Amino acid sequence: MSGPTRAALGAVLLSLALPAAASAATKAVSAGPPLKKPPAGVPRDSDDNAFFPSSVKIHAGDRLRFTIAGFHAINFVKKHGPAPGLAQPFDGPPVSGATDQAGAPFWFNGQPQVALNPSIVTGTKSPTTYDGSQDIGSGAPLQGAPKPWVVRFPKTGRFTFYCPIHPGMKGTVAVVPKGRPVPSAAADAARAKRQLAKALRDVKRLDRRKPPRGDVVEAGPDHRDATLYRFTPAKKTVTAGTTLTLTMSRGTYETHTFTFADDAKSLQTLAKGFIGPLPGTGTSGPPTIGFDPVALYPSDPQLTEDGKVHGNGFVNTGALDSDRASPMPLSAKVTFSTPGTYHYICLIHPEMKGEVVVTP
């Protein structure tokens, strides 16, 4: 999931060499690319949803210090347990009172509201300990720059850590008995640097990829962890009556929307509230944090854009992703019935903008 929440690859502020000065008992892992400044030739709207380095070996009793570079979280689960999911159905009132600019109710009134998994939102206080028998997490960075998260490993074993925000983003830590050899901090930093170099090559290749053929617009393109926060092509010209397929890249770790309206300011306002307190919560305690249903759900079962639908041309695919475990679809189809120019953004990454020009 970027914008203020999804840092472009060239904007992440970290040292290229992960802290080599850290003590032998603490090793460093970056959730997101460890970069100090934009490398030459790297597109500024790129990112890599990966841990650097993706695998670490430490002694029992040692620690990992996770630095969060971008909109990421870190979770460990009980050994052999399922990876945590970011979203879950809200066990409370369904969607109600959702209306468009013309005052008409949206179709998804009565559907379940969707909450953020509270264990992912709050996280486990740092420093903490993990031995494979419990679930722990860093918490989601919903406000401000997240602080490093430190985990101690008292028992030997091989453990996997996940980013619940970007399904597919994971790493491993091998914990070995004291006295067994482990790589030095310098060796780990060199491995992370090689991994980063490959990530930079990957996004450069994506930047050179040709747009999809036919009546298709792609969010990205992405290739698994390698991500471009753009729509391709950014401007698409079609004739009236054309149905466009708006799609995610297959295998991407990201989630996007394609959202149209004639008022760009209203879209930015909707994007800012994509994650927030769910209506009807917080009256007798902390509110439940979840997703705005107007942003999350598709605006209509069948999407047609004529510039007047919903009073302001609001057409929203709802959230799209490529995760097989997710109920969200990979793509959506929108039919453009009336000539005009239609602007859209991603409500999750509002810096992503595109337009469709419809000719007679």
Short mmCIF file of all heavy atoms in Angstrom, two decimals, residues 57-81:
data_model
loop_
_atom_site.label_atom_id
_atom_site.label_comp_id
_atom_site.label_asym_id
_atom_site.label_seq_id
_atom_site.Cartn_x
_atom_site.Cartn_y
_atom_site.Cartn_z
N LYS A 57 21.26 -14.20 9.77
CA LYS A 57 21.63 -15.25 10.72
C LYS A 57 22.22 -14.59 11.95
O LYS A 57 23.10 -13.73 11.86
CB LYS A 57 22.65 -16.22 10.11
CG LYS A 57 23.03 -17.38 11.03
CD LYS A 57 24.09 -18.28 10.41
CE LYS A 57 23.51 -19.16 9.34
NZ LYS A 57 24.50 -20.17 8.87
N ILE A 58 21.71 -14.99 13.13
CA ILE A 58 22.16 -14.41 14.39
C ILE A 58 22.34 -15.52 15.43
O ILE A 58 21.94 -16.66 15.21
CB ILE A 58 21.16 -13.36 14.93
CG1 ILE A 58 19.81 -14.02 15.22
CG2 ILE A 58 21.01 -12.21 13.95
CD1 ILE A 58 18.81 -13.09 15.89
N HIS A 59 22.94 -15.17 16.57
CA HIS A 59 23.06 -16.10 17.69
C HIS A 59 21.84 -16.00 18.59
O HIS A 59 21.20 -14.95 18.68
CB HIS A 59 24.31 -15.79 18.52
CG HIS A 59 25.59 -16.13 17.84
ND1 HIS A 59 26.62 -15.23 17.68
CD2 HIS A 59 26.01 -17.30 17.26
CE1 HIS A 59 27.63 -15.82 17.05
NE2 HIS A 59 27.28 -17.06 16.78
N ALA A 60 21.51 -17.09 19.27
CA ALA A 60 20.45 -17.07 20.27
C ALA A 60 20.77 -16.00 21.31
O ALA A 60 21.90 -15.90 21.79
CB ALA A 60 20.32 -18.44 20.93
N GLY A 61 19.78 -15.19 21.62
CA GLY A 61 19.96 -14.07 22.54
C GLY A 61 20.22 -12.75 21.85
O GLY A 61 20.15 -11.69 22.49
N ASP A 62 20.53 -12.79 20.55
CA ASP A 62 20.77 -11.55 19.80
C ASP A 62 19.45 -10.90 19.37
O ASP A 62 18.37 -11.48 19.52
CB ASP A 62 21.64 -11.82 18.57
CG ASP A 62 23.09 -12.08 18.94
OD1 ASP A 62 23.44 -11.95 20.13
OD2 ASP A 62 23.87 -12.44 18.04
N ARG A 63 19.57 -9.72 18.77
CA ARG A 63 18.40 -8.92 18.39
C ARG A 63 18.44 -8.54 16.91
O ARG A 63 19.50 -8.47 16.31
CB ARG A 63 18.34 -7.64 19.23
CG ARG A 63 18.17 -7.88 20.71
CD ARG A 63 18.30 -6.55 21.47
NE ARG A 63 18.02 -6.69 22.90
CZ ARG A 63 18.91 -7.11 23.79
NH1 ARG A 63 20.15 -7.39 23.41
NH2 ARG A 63 18.57 -7.21 25.07
N LEU A 64 17.24 -8.25 16.40
CA LEU A 64 17.10 -7.61 15.09
C LEU A 64 16.48 -6.24 15.32
O LEU A 64 15.52 -6.09 16.08
CB LEU A 64 16.21 -8.41 14.15
CG LEU A 64 16.75 -9.72 13.60
CD1 LEU A 64 15.76 -10.33 12.61
CD2 LEU A 64 18.11 -9.53 12.94
N ARG A 65 17.05 -5.26 14.66
CA ARG A 65 16.52 -3.89 14.73
C ARG A 65 15.96 -3.55 13.35
O ARG A 65 16.68 -3.39 12.37
CB ARG A 65 17.64 -2.91 15.10
CG ARG A 65 17.21 -1.46 15.24
CD ARG A 65 18.42 -0.61 15.65
NE ARG A 65 18.07 0.78 15.92
CZ ARG A 65 18.05 1.74 15.01
NH1 ARG A 65 18.37 1.45 13.75
NH2 ARG A 65 17.74 2.97 15.35
N PHE A 66 14.62 -3.47 13.29
CA PHE A 66 13.93 -3.20 12.03
C PHE A 66 13.72 -1.69 11.87
O PHE A 66 13.12 -1.05 12.74
CB PHE A 66 12.58 -3.89 12.00
CG PHE A 66 12.64 -5.39 11.90
CD1 PHE A 66 12.64 -6.17 13.05
CD2 PHE A 66 12.71 -6.02 10.67
CE1 PHE A 66 12.69 -7.55 12.97
CE2 PHE A 66 12.77 -7.40 10.58
CZ PHE A 66 12.76 -8.17 11.74
N THR A 67 14.21 -1.14 10.78
CA THR A 67 13.92 0.24 10.40
C THR A 67 12.85 0.21 9.32
O THR A 67 12.97 -0.53 8.34
CB THR A 67 15.18 0.94 9.89
OG1 THR A 67 16.18 0.92 10.90
CG2 THR A 67 14.87 2.39 9.53
N ILE A 68 11.80 1.01 9.49
CA ILE A 68 10.66 0.99 8.57
C ILE A 68 10.79 2.16 7.61
O ILE A 68 10.67 3.32 8.00
CB ILE A 68 9.34 1.03 9.34
CG1 ILE A 68 9.25 -0.17 10.28
CG2 ILE A 68 8.15 1.03 8.36
CD1 ILE A 68 8.05 -0.16 11.20
N ALA A 69 11.07 1.86 6.35
CA ALA A 69 11.28 2.86 5.31
C ALA A 69 10.12 2.79 4.33
O ALA A 69 10.14 2.05 3.36
CB ALA A 69 12.60 2.61 4.60
N GLY A 70 9.06 3.55 4.62
CA GLY A 70 7.87 3.48 3.79
C GLY A 70 6.69 2.97 4.59
O GLY A 70 6.73 2.88 5.82
N PHE A 71 5.61 2.61 3.91
CA PHE A 71 4.40 2.15 4.59
C PHE A 71 4.47 0.63 4.72
O PHE A 71 3.94 -0.11 3.91
CB PHE A 71 3.15 2.58 3.83
CG PHE A 71 1.88 2.34 4.60
CD1 PHE A 71 1.63 3.00 5.79
CD2 PHE A 71 0.92 1.47 4.12
CE1 PHE A 71 0.46 2.79 6.50
CE2 PHE A 71 -0.26 1.26 4.82
CZ PHE A 71 -0.49 1.92 6.01
N HIS A 72 5.14 0.19 5.77
CA HIS A 72 5.33 -1.24 6.02
C HIS A 72 5.08 -1.54 7.49
O HIS A 72 5.13 -0.65 8.34
CB HIS A 72 6.75 -1.68 5.65
CG HIS A 72 7.11 -1.45 4.23
ND1 HIS A 72 6.51 -2.12 3.18
CD2 HIS A 72 8.02 -0.61 3.65
CE1 HIS A 72 7.04 -1.71 2.03
NE2 HIS A 72 7.94 -0.79 2.29
N ALA A 73 4.84 -2.80 7.77
CA ALA A 73 4.79 -3.30 9.13
C ALA A 73 5.53 -4.63 9.15
O ALA A 73 5.76 -5.24 8.09
CB ALA A 73 3.36 -3.47 9.60
N ILE A 74 5.92 -5.08 10.33
CA ILE A 74 6.61 -6.36 10.48
C ILE A 74 5.84 -7.21 11.46
O ILE A 74 5.49 -6.76 12.55
CB ILE A 74 8.06 -6.18 10.97
CG1 ILE A 74 8.84 -5.23 10.07
CG2 ILE A 74 8.77 -7.53 11.03
CD1 ILE A 74 8.96 -3.83 10.61
N ASN A 75 5.56 -8.46 11.07
CA ASN A 75 4.86 -9.38 11.95
C ASN A 75 5.56 -10.74 11.99
O ASN A 75 6.02 -11.23 10.95
CB ASN A 75 3.42 -9.58 11.50
CG ASN A 75 2.50 -8.49 11.98
OD1 ASN A 75 2.59 -7.35 11.52
ND2 ASN A 75 1.62 -8.81 12.92
N PHE A 76 5.64 -11.31 13.16
CA PHE A 76 6.01 -12.70 13.37
C PHE A 76 4.77 -13.42 13.90
O PHE A 76 4.04 -12.87 14.74
CB PHE A 76 7.13 -12.84 14.40
CG PHE A 76 8.48 -12.35 13.94
CD1 PHE A 76 8.82 -11.02 14.03
CD2 PHE A 76 9.42 -13.25 13.44
CE1 PHE A 76 10.06 -10.56 13.63
CE2 PHE A 76 10.67 -12.81 13.03
CZ PHE A 76 11.00 -11.46 13.13
N VAL A 77 4.56 -14.65 13.46
CA VAL A 77 3.40 -15.41 13.94
C VAL A 77 3.89 -16.68 14.61
O VAL A 77 5.08 -17.04 14.53
CB VAL A 77 2.44 -15.76 12.79
CG1 VAL A 77 1.88 -14.50 12.16
CG2 VAL A 77 3.14 -16.61 11.73
N LYS A 78 2.97 -17.35 15.30
CA LYS A 78 3.31 -18.64 15.90
C LYS A 78 3.87 -19.55 14.83
O LYS A 78 3.40 -19.55 13.69
CB LYS A 78 2.07 -19.27 16.53
CG LYS A 78 1.50 -18.50 17.71
CD LYS A 78 0.22 -19.15 18.21
CE LYS A 78 -0.39 -18.33 19.33
NZ LYS A 78 -1.67 -18.90 19.79
N LYS A 79 4.85 -20.35 15.18
CA LYS A 79 5.49 -21.21 14.20
C LYS A 79 4.44 -22.06 13.49
O LYS A 79 3.60 -22.68 14.12
CB LYS A 79 6.54 -22.10 14.87
CG LYS A 79 7.57 -22.63 13.89
CD LYS A 79 8.78 -23.19 14.58
CE LYS A 79 9.85 -23.56 13.56
NZ LYS A 79 11.04 -24.13 14.20
N HIS A 80 4.50 -22.05 12.18
CA HIS A 80 3.58 -22.76 11.30
C HIS A 80 2.18 -22.13 11.28
O HIS A 80 1.25 -22.70 10.74
CB HIS A 80 3.47 -24.25 11.66
CG HIS A 80 4.79 -24.94 11.75
ND1 HIS A 80 5.70 -24.97 10.71
CD2 HIS A 80 5.35 -25.62 12.77
CE1 HIS A 80 6.77 -25.64 11.09
NE2 HIS A 80 6.59 -26.04 12.34
N GLY A 81 2.02 -20.96 11.87
CA GLY A 81 0.73 -20.27 11.84
C GLY A 81 0.55 -19.49 10.56
O GLY A 81 1.51 -19.27 9.81
#
